[in-house]
Amino acid sequence: MKLEFDIQLTEKDLFDFNIYQIYRSAQGIVSILLAIIVWVMSAVTFSNGSIAYGVMYIVGGFVFLLYIPVSLKLRVKVTLKTNEVLSGVLHYEVTEDAICVSQGEEKAELKWEQIYKFVANKKRVLVYSNRVNAYIIPREQITDKYDDFVEIAKSKLEKYRLIIKK
């Protein structure tokens, strides 16, 4: 079986992937915990009668919470403007042997045995080549080929490499 489809990544696709990655890492978890700790400190400060410091702690909590999404949003805009590969149309060929991605003259092949992890959810399919890097395939762009793609992945990858959610 051979599947072929084209993907055009958008800012939203890349941003969603980056948020997904960050908030499943230590950095994302620590930023949430720090925001909570700082807000608890603001409650304690308010109860002690220091309104100015309490307001500072509340603002500090929002800084911890909003810094990552805002910085990622800005980085995604720059990345799509400066990276020709990510901003262009990517052509995928999925076969029994490998996943091939091409754009113009450039071509990359990822054999099934080289895939680190395959994640499919309601928004996207992520084909990881290592712990951090993944091919991002928006599910809305492959609606008619999604089921076949997942079936090929199930037949080629071990269960521990598959994370498939409906």
Side-chain angles (χ1 to χ4, degrees), residues 38-51:
V38 169
W39 286 332
V40 167
M41 289 172 56
S42 75
V44 170
T45 304
F46 278 126
S47 70
N48 290 336
S50 180
I51 294 173

Side-chain angles (χ1 to χ4, degrees), residues 34-44 57-62 65:
L34 284 174
I36 291 169
I37 290 169
V38 169
W39 286 332
V40 167
M41 289 172 56
S42 75
V44 170
Y57 283 131
I58 288 174
V59 170
F62 279 110
L65 202 58

Side-chain angles (χ1 to χ4, degrees), residues 57-70:
Y57 283 131
I58 288 174
V59 170
F62 279 110
V63 167
F64 280 121
L65 202 58
L66 296 176
Y67 172 76
I68 290 174
V70 170

